[in-house]
Amino acid sequence: MKKVAVIMGSDSDLPVVEKAINTLSDFGVPYEVHVFSAHRTPLEARDFSINARKNGFGAIIAAAGMAAHLAGAIAANTTLPVVGIPVKSNNLDGVDALLSTVQMPSGIPVATVAINGAVNAALLCIEILSVSDDALAAKLDEKRRNDAAKVLEKNAAIEEKYNKQA
Ligand code: RP5
C-alpha cells in the first residue's frame, strides 16, 4: 500500500495533526510524519515533495497555521494529491490559514479541509488510496455504517425523551 505523508509547519501544530495520524493508524494505512516549513525550512520541504512519489507516497497531508503556504508550496513540487489542513492560531481564529490554504491559483490544487479538520484530511487520503484498494474501501464502508448506527442510537434516545407527549 502507498504511504501517506503527514507534514506540519511546526511541532506546535501537532495537537491538531495527531488526529490525522490516529485516523491513518486506525485504518492500518502506513504513514510518515515530518515537520517541514515553507518559510523556515523551504529546501527540506521542496526536497521531500519532489521525491515523494518515488519514495512510495500516494497522498500528502500538509498542516499549517497563520500565512499557511505550506500545502501550496508542497503541491508546487509534486503531482501527488495534497490535502491542506488550515490550523487555527490565536489572532484570526484560523481564517488566515484557511484562506491561504484554500485559495490556490489554477493549476496547483490543494484539497482543503475545515479549520483543524485533521480527521477529514486523513479520511480523504484514505479514500484516495481506496480507489485501488478494495480492502481499504471496505473499511471505509464499515466506518460509515458504524458512525450511522451511533447517530441512529442517539436519535432513538432523543425521540424517546421528547416525542412522548402525544
Ligand atoms: C506556521 O506557523 C506553523 O504551521 C504554525 O501553525 C505557525 C506557528 O509556528 P510556531 O511559531 O508555533 O513554530 O508555520
Side-chain angles (χ1 to χ4, degrees):
M1 193 190 302
K2 298 276 187 196
K3 295 179 285 183
V4 173
V6 182
I7 302 175
M8 65 201 101
S10 166
D11 65 347
S12 67
D13 300 319
L14 187 57
V16 170
V17 172
E18 251 176 348
K19 295 187 181 75
I21 298 169
N22 293 340
T23 303
L24 294 170
S25 187
D26 288 347
F27 276 83
V29 169
Y31 58 83
E32 283 184 18
V33 185
H34 300 275
V35 176
F36 294 133
S37 166
H39 40 270
R40 292 168 175 155
T41 57
L43 294 181
E44 286 78 3
R46 177 179 175 275
D47 283 354
F48 182 88
S49 314
I50 286 174
N51 295 311
R53 189 183 290 273
K54 82 165 190 281
N55 284 338
F57 293 96
I60 300 176
I61 293 172
M66 302 180 77
H69 40 204
L70 178 63
I74 286 171
N77 288 302
T78 181
T79 52
L80 288 174
V82 175
V83 179
I85 307 173
V87 176
K88 183 174 174 176
S89 55
N90 289 335
N91 294 325
L92 293 169
D93 278 341
V95 174
D96 45 354
L98 173 64
L99 297 180
S100 305
T101 307
V102 78
Q103 286 287 48
M104 284 300 291
S106 181
I108 310 292
V110 168
T112 305
V113 295
I115 295 168
N116 287 358
V119 171
N120 273 358
L123 288 173
L124 192 51
C125 289
I126 295 164
E127 289 179 359
I128 289 164
L129 298 186
S130 79
V131 169
S132 57
D133 187 326
D134 290 344
L136 208 48
K139 283 187 190 173
L140 285 164
D141 285 340
E142 188 189 355
K143 177 178 165 39
R144 288 283 175 100
R145 281 195 298 275
N146 291 342
D147 288 354
K150 284 180 203 154
V151 174
L152 290 174
E153 210 173 287
K154 289 174 186 165
N155 176 56
I158 294 281
E159 286 182 351
E160 170 75 13
K161 182 171 179 184
Y162 291 104
N163 299 351
K164 288 211 141 181
Q165 70 276 33

